[in-house]
């Protein structure tokens, strides 16, 4: 999901709404990667519940490193000699702006996912391992807010301005992107809660995961 998000985020989607919303208007503007990227938070919440804080942070950091692998592979292909120069230009026009996306995602992913893990386990401690729905929604909602602001700001404003790859997105569109993307992520955070219960319950029934001890902190 993370790698797919990096390759699809440069396409901006305009999803029509049945009614107008403040700031957003009658359509939600969001990067094409919004759904794929939201799935990474679903995965990290399931992993956090099953295997604890330390194991989840390791998974997050490994995924973070994969961004560099993606970046290296994409640019090695963009810069390689092409048989068809016209197609090569189109290829670069589509994939090169992905560098902005990867840079924005690198920072946003590292900060927000680690925040998600910390909040998830802090709530878990306060609730003695109960109320999975609360830590799933609260950790994802707060971390998605952090993620959205950092990602959109870097990928669509700072990186294009500083690197000269692509054009900076107008401020009005940036605001719509932030609001629209966050609304979708918040909706997913609420709707995916039954699926988190389902995945965690199924895997625990198969002998996976660690048992939460109320007298200690699972890390």
């Amino acid at each position: 999901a993370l790698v797919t998000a990096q390759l699809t985020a440069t396409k901006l989607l305009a999803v029509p709404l049945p009614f107008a919303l403040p700031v957003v208007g009658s359509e939600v503007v969001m990067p094409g990667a919004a759904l794929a990227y939201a799935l990474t938070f679903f995965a990290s919440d399931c992993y956090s519940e099953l295997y604890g804080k330390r194991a989840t942070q390791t998974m997050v950091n490994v995924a973070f490193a994969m961004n560099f692998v993606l970046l290296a592979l994409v640019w090695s292909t963009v810069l390689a000699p092409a048989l068809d120069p016209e197609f090569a230009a189109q290829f670069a026009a589509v994939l090169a702006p992905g560098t902005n996306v990867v840079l924005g995602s690198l920072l946003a992913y590292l900060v927000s996912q680690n925040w998600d893990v910390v909040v998830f386990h802090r709530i878990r401690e306060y609730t003695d391992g109960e109320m999975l729905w609360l830590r799933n929604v609260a950790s994802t909602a707060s971390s998605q807010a952090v993620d959205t602001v950092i990602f959109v700001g870097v990928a669509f404003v700072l990186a294009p301005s500083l690197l000269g790859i692509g054009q900076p997105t107008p401020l009005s569109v940036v605001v719509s992107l932030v609001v629209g993307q966050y609304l979708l992520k918040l909706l997913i955070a609420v709707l995916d809660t039954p699926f988190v219960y389902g995945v965690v319950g199924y895997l625990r029934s198969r002998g996976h995961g660690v048992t939460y001890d109320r007298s200690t902190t699972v890390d």
Side-chain angles (χ1 to χ4, degrees):
L2 181 64
V3 172
T4 301
Q6 316 305 13
L7 296 177
T8 57
T10 53
K11 178 178 179 178
L12 299 183
L13 308 180
V15 182
L17 297 173
F19 50 83
L21 293 174
V23 180
V24 175
S26 60
E27 61 183 17
V28 175
V29 179
M30 66 184 72
L35 178 59
Y37 197 70
L39 290 176
T40 65
F41 288 86
F42 166 76
S44 65
D45 283 349
C46 291
Y47 207 84
S48 285
E49 182 65 16
L50 288 166
Y51 302 110
K53 180 179 177 181
R54 187 174 301 167
T56 306
Q57 287 177 324
T58 299
M59 181 192 71
V60 167
N61 292 329
V62 169
F64 174 75
M66 291 302 99
N67 283 277
F68 292 100
V69 175
L70 172 67
L71 197 59
L73 292 174
V74 167
W75 273 101
S76 66
T77 307
V78 169
L79 297 176
L83 179 64
D84 185 343
E86 183 178 350
F87 178 77
Q90 296 174 349
F91 185 86
V94 171
L95 289 183
T99 300
N100 300 335
V101 171
V102 172
L103 292 177
S105 179
L106 283 172
L107 182 59
Y109 181 83
L110 188 63
V111 174
S112 63
Q113 282 283 8
N114 279 287
W115 172 265
D116 182 77
V117 173
V118 170
V119 172
F120 186 94
H121 284 276
R122 195 63 67 83
I123 296 175
R124 187 180 193 183
E125 293 170 14
Y126 288 152
T127 59
D128 288 331
E130 303 295 333
M131 301 173 71
L132 171 58
W133 64 269
L134 176 61
R135 55 184 176 272
N136 175 65
V137 173
S139 64
T140 301
S142 60
S143 59
Q144 291 284 24
V146 173
D147 174 85
T148 302
V149 172
I150 294 176
F151 171 70
V152 174
V154 173
F156 293 93
V157 180
L158 292 180
S161 300
L162 297 176
L163 300 179
I165 302 176
Q167 296 296 322
T169 305
L171 181 59
S172 59
V173 178
V174 169
V175 173
S176 295
L177 278 171
V178 169
V179 175
Q181 188 174 3
Y182 182 69
L183 288 176
L184 174 66
K185 290 176 177 179
L186 192 60
L187 178 63
I188 292 174
V190 175
L191 295 180
D192 76 0
T193 300
F195 296 97
V196 172
Y197 272 93
V199 170
V200 169
Y202 172 76
L203 290 177
R204 278 187 172 153
S205 71
R206 306 285 293 182
H208 295 278
V210 296
T211 302
Y212 181 74
D213 184 350
R214 298 188 182 199
S215 64
T216 60
T217 299
V218 177
D219 62 357

